[in-house]
Amino acid sequence: MTKAEFSAYTALVTSSRRRTSRAGAARRATGPLYELSAVGRATGAAPSLLKSWCEQGILVPAIEARGTGTRRYFDRATVLRAAILGELRHLLGTRLRLGEIGKWVATLDPDLIDRQRDPARVYLFASRVGDSLSEAYVSVSEEDPVKFMHTLRQWRAAVVLDLTAINERVWTALEE
């Protein structure tokens, strides 16, 4: 095998290996994948902020960028986590350092935060209980606001996010 043939063979094997690993990551992610710029437009977060959250381990892309010229791709659950972080940052101020809150958002159950399949209004209640953050998901129909108030009274202080509204805003922006 000549040097030129060896180089061509190495390039072919390397590129096919790279394609296989990306395809494997895409198969593990359920549903469509979105680029960083699309996630930024849908969540209102600057791409540089999203990159920072990825570097801190707060957001984990479905497919990580590998070298120059490659891009990060995010699945639905990660896009929703970014939207929730953006809402918290908007509510609590831009100087908020996410640290513990970001790690807590990363652990939220993707099936519970993805409200596209559930027509009921769902709220995420977040509060500190002891030394850790905890959450409650409350599905509220228009006829039963008592459930909402009962959950709210359980804590001295809480942040309440309307997951249904966040989902509607994010998915409308991603579909445009």
Side-chain angles (χ1 to χ4, degrees):
M1 183 181 286
T2 66
K3 198 173 192 177
E5 291 172 328
F6 179 77
S7 295
Y9 172 76
T10 306
L12 177 66
V13 168
T14 305
S15 66
S16 67
R17 232 185 271 142
R18 194 175 300 132
R19 259 186 260 120
T20 303
S21 66
R22 283 186 188 153
R27 264 187 254 119
R28 283 190 297 272
T30 57
L33 297 176
Y34 305 94
E35 289 185 8
L36 186 76
S37 58
V39 175
R41 282 190 305 274
T43 62
S48 59
L49 181 61
L50 294 171
K51 286 179 189 177
S52 172
W53 289 345
C54 290
E55 290 164 5
Q56 294 174 48
I58 294 171
L59 293 179
V60 179
I63 300 175
E64 183 61 67
R66 304 224 184 258
T68 58
T70 60
R71 299 173 185 213
R72 291 179 173 101
Y73 291 91
F74 299 89
D75 61 0
R76 293 173 59 96
T78 307
V79 174
L80 287 171
R81 286 185 180 103
I84 290 169
L85 287 168
E87 285 295 322
L88 289 170
R89 194 166 182 262
H90 180 74
L91 284 171
L92 303 174
T94 57
R95 293 181 186 235
L96 170 72
R97 293 195 175 188
L98 289 176
E100 181 185 3
I101 295 172
K103 288 177 179 40
W104 168 77
V105 169
T107 66
L108 294 176
D109 186 350
D111 292 331
L112 292 173
I113 61 175
D114 185 355
R115 305 312 319 159
Q116 195 167 33
R117 292 171 290 218
D118 188 355
R121 288 249 50 89
V122 176
Y123 296 89
L124 169 64
F125 287 76
S127 182
R128 182 169 294 284
V129 176
D131 290 339
S132 62
L133 292 169
S134 67
E135 75 271 357
Y137 298 88
V138 179
S139 178
V140 179
S141 65
E142 290 180 16
E143 301 84 35
D144 189 22
V146 175
K147 187 177 187 181
F148 183 85
M149 293 307 295
H150 176 71
T151 305
L152 189 56
R153 286 187 188 124
Q154 291 177 350
W155 294 308
R156 291 182 303 190
V159 172
V160 180
L161 298 175
D162 184 347
L163 291 178
T164 307
I166 292 171
N167 272 271
E168 288 170 358
R169 188 186 73 236
V170 167
W171 301 127
T172 300
L174 286 173
E175 290 171 359
E176 291 177 349

